[in-house]
Amino acid sequence: MPTNTIACFFLGIWAALAPPAWPAAAATPTSPSAVKLGLEEVWSLGSLEDNKLIMWVGLAADDDGRLFVSDALDFSIKVFDSKGRVLLRAGRPGTGPGEFQAVRELAVSRDHVFVLDQQQPKVLVFDKQLRFLHAIPQPEPISCLRTLPDGTLAAALVPTGKGKRPSIWLADNRGRTLQEIEFGADAAHPAGDRASFVLSGRDVVLAYSFKNKVERLDRSGRVIWSKRLLNFPDARFKSVMGTKIPTEFVYKDIAVDRAGRLFVLGGGPAEHPSRDVYVLSPAGEMIGTIVLPDTTHLLHLDSRDFLYSRANDGLTIKKYRILFPAEPGPTPLKEPRP
Amino acid sequence: MNIIPAAWLAASLVLAAAGSSPIAGTRPQEAGQAARTVCGWLLLDADAFSCSPCISRDLGFIRDMPADLLRANLWIVVLYNPPQSNADEALRRRLISRRADAVLKAFHLDFPVVIDTTEKWRGFSAAGPALVVFDSVTRSARTFVLPFSPDDREAIRKILHRGDQPHGVPNRL
């Protein structure tokens, strides 16, 4: 098994199983003025009464409103229409083309579906009919996968060896490198700079997994702003056999809406772990918080700003409308009498 | 590999039956099933059904076994320790059942599944996921811990071939 796959696997295990190192008191947002935003459930997909989902892990919506979902315990990827009906399914256990051992994240572009499998050091490329096309070797283990509107693949690379910094890797659908944007300060422990990210306009916004840091970079890697969202110190590490191991996720995921607002999912130190979502302006000011009803590892916003998250340990996808406070606007004109 | 007296195993089975629940959706659990024989029990922790690499590895070893094993009357025993007091317990149990059912289907394994909460089976899998096989000649059960070594595979194959059919003990579950 390749070294990077092993390292990636153990990093995930550490993060999932290590006991929390945080004090009993939960961390609170650094901005006390943040308002609580509401949620309205639009629909719920998957339940014990049907076989639509077993334990889903990755999700992305395309511009046509279809949902692409990876289902780890069904060893498959699936497509649902906007009403939650199953359109397509592909995959089975195995290591052959189009087969999965531990399917994880996915991302969709206009023409392709990019899929990660924890046990395979590749990006698996499918067409939108879920036909397997080819595999792209991962230059380093990938912690987060996205696409740009033009179909460019974007992945956060977390080197396993010392001396190299993590980066956002931009590539075409054949894996040819277009650009690498380096981030993180600690090349001696690059795994500590693992991050989720979104592409917002021309910038990249990172939510660090093991640091209390959300950061906006331009495409040259220059830091535009860097914020600590929680009243809490940086991530803690413990030493196992001489290796520094992070003990818990500080931030689990990040998403961006059409207005450029950022949605950051809090991890272990949050008041409601894996449920608190911190909403930031494009400039990084905290403008609100959301408390999800169920714990989730992922946030996704579609092209109409509907929010998707997980429930029932992966049996269910929830789709929400985010309710922002009404903003003062012009007085509506009265309807003229007929 | 351990050799377990058949009497102990039989007693464990009887005790386990009280706290075991069959999963709907696998092989039909019918009244007449008590007459069937069972020759092996694959013991898996419930947590394995939250981890696709783990369950791929465990079931992969079974899938790679000789066809005899796949034809044999093997049962999957899911070892589950319910929390002491948890309002979601019923949901958790149903989630595990659903996952086990789906995973076996994905691997094309048509074995009955029971969820065991009695702790009686834990001792057999203290060293990890294990296959307990009943040897009809020595009237004893032998435990093989996954992953199987080539010697284990050969021993399992021999046990399954030993004597004429039917091998196994009456199924008391």
Side-chain angles (χ1 to χ4, degrees):
Chain A
M1 190 182 293
T3 309
N4 59 358
T5 305
I6 295 169
C8 198
F9 175 75
F10 280 106
L11 194 63
I13 295 292
W14 294 332
L17 300 181
W22 313 105
T28 52
T30 51
S31 171
S33 61
V35 296
K36 279 216 163 145
L37 305 178
L39 282 179
E40 178 191 340
E41 185 176 315
V42 178
W43 55 242
S44 174
L45 166 61
S47 73
L48 284 166
E49 314 312 321
D50 62 47
N51 279 314
K52 289 182 175 176
L53 296 165
I54 307 300
M55 191 178 83
W56 72 270
V57 287
L59 179 151
D62 71 2
D63 290 343
D64 300 326
R66 292 180 298 179
L67 274 188
F68 294 74
V69 180
S70 56
D71 195 336
L73 285 180
D74 194 40
F75 301 86
S76 67
I77 50 177
K78 299 168 181 172
V79 185
F80 298 90
D81 69 12
S82 59
K83 294 195 167 96
R85 291 176 294 221
V86 183
L87 299 176
L88 295 166
R89 180 194 176 282
R92 61 184 178 184
T95 55
E99 296 177 339
F100 303 110
Q101 290 174 286
V103 64
R104 291 290 179 261
E105 287 201 34
L106 55 72
V108 293
S109 67
R110 194 183 56 219
D111 300 319
H112 297 101
V113 184
F114 301 98
V115 184
L116 292 183
D117 186 307
Q118 183 181 302
Q119 300 293 88
Q120 303 183 50
K122 311 166 192 166
V123 179
L124 308 170
V125 186
F126 296 77
D127 68 14
K128 297 291 276 290
Q129 295 300 308
L130 303 188
R131 290 176 294 229
F132 177 75
L133 299 177
H134 57 268
I136 301 170
Q138 293 180 20
E140 299 283 356
I142 292 175
S143 67
C144 184
L145 198 65
R146 310 283 190 214
T147 53
L148 273 64
D150 66 359
T152 297
L153 173 66
L157 304 181
V158 185
T160 51
K162 294 180 179 179
K164 194 172 178 194
R165 294 168 65 197
S167 62
I168 303 298
W169 176 53
L170 303 180
D172 67 13
N173 63 53
R174 284 277 167 188
R176 287 179 287 250
T177 300
L178 304 173
Q179 189 184 355
E180 273 198 68
I181 307 164
E182 289 194 333
F183 63 92
D186 191 359
H189 299 286
D193 281 325
R194 182 195 193 277
S196 299
F197 73 97
V198 286
L199 298 146
S200 178
R202 294 286 302 163
D203 299 336
V204 176
V205 187
L206 300 158
Y208 285 77
S209 303
F210 308 123
K211 290 186 174 175
N212 185 4
K213 186 161 72 172
V214 177
E215 203 167 63
R216 190 178 193 102
L217 314 176
D218 66 17
R219 290 282 177 98
S220 68
R222 186 178 62 88
V223 176
I224 298 171
W225 53 254
S226 183
K227 301 280 180 182
R228 300 162 70 89
L229 305 187
L230 297 169
N231 282 317
F232 211 82
D234 269 341
R236 295 179 183 186
F237 289 73
K238 64 181 178 184
S239 183
V240 175
M241 292 185 292
T243 304
K244 282 172 72 179
I245 298 171
T247 54
E248 197 166 22
F249 278 84
V250 180
Y251 302 117
K252 287 197 159 182
D253 201 9
I254 183 168
V256 63
D257 70 5
R258 287 177 298 178
R261 286 178 292 225
L262 302 160
F263 297 73
V264 181
L265 176 63
E271 185 178 358
H272 306 97
S274 305
R275 292 170 55 207
D276 282 350
V277 180
Y278 312 109
V279 185
L280 312 182
S281 72
E285 302 304 324
M286 194 178 294
I287 54 179
T289 60
I290 297 169
V291 182
L292 295 168
D294 300 276
T295 59
T296 185
H297 66 295
L298 172 150
L299 294 178
H300 183 80
L301 286 162
D302 69 12
S303 58
R304 296 171 62 198
D305 290 345
F306 286 108
L307 175 71
Y308 300 84
S309 67
R310 177 163 136 146
N312 291 332
D313 278 350
L315 188 70
T316 305
I317 297 170
K318 297 268 188 179
K319 178 177 179 178
Y320 298 104
R321 180 180 288 108
I322 301 169
L323 306 173
F324 286 92
E327 292 178 0
T331 308
L333 294 172
K334 284 187 177 174
E335 287 285 321
R337 288 178 183 274
Chain B
M1 184 171 65
N2 301 318
I3 298 178
I4 302 155
W8 182 26
L9 180 67
S12 297
L13 278 173
V14 172
L15 290 169
S20 304
S21 62
I23 288 179
T26 54
R27 261 188 219 171
Q29 313 285 314
E30 297 171 355
Q33 197 165 8
R36 288 169 53 191
T37 58
V38 56
C39 68
W41 300 266
L42 178 64
L43 312 180
L44 298 173
D45 194 280
D47 288 345
F49 291 97
S50 301
C51 167
S52 50
C54 309
I55 203 68
S56 289
R57 178 198 59 207
D58 295 345
L59 292 180
F61 286 116
I62 296 301
R63 198 170 58 163
D64 293 342
M65 287 300 293
D68 308 63
L69 181 61
L70 299 182
R71 279 199 301 270
N73 191 10
L74 185 73
W75 284 64
I76 308 278
V77 181
V78 180
L79 310 174
Y80 173 56
N81 291 339
Q84 290 297 317
S85 58
N86 189 338
D88 294 334
E89 157 57 14
L91 175 65
R92 293 286 320 155
R93 203 179 172 98
R94 290 183 69 193
L95 274 173
I96 292 167
S97 299
R98 163 66 67 82
R99 287 176 179 174
D101 207 18
V103 167
L104 290 176
K105 188 177 169 192
F107 279 86
H108 303 292
L109 294 175
D110 181 27
F111 298 132
V113 179
V114 290
I115 295 182
D116 180 69
T117 58
T118 64
E119 297 276 323
K120 298 295 185 298
W121 286 93
R122 284 275 175 200
F124 294 92
S125 65
L131 176 69
V132 180
V133 186
F134 183 73
D135 186 333
S136 59
V137 172
T138 63
R139 306 298 293 173
S140 63
R142 294 173 72 176
T143 303
F144 299 88
V145 177
L146 272 68
F148 301 139
S149 67
D151 287 348
D152 288 345
R153 288 170 185 272
E154 182 59 19
I156 294 168
R157 193 189 64 76
K158 278 184 179 168
I159 290 171
L160 294 176
H161 276 288
R162 199 169 284 165
D164 293 323
Q165 302 297 325
H167 44 218
V169 294
N171 171 24
R172 301 291 302 275
L173 289 175

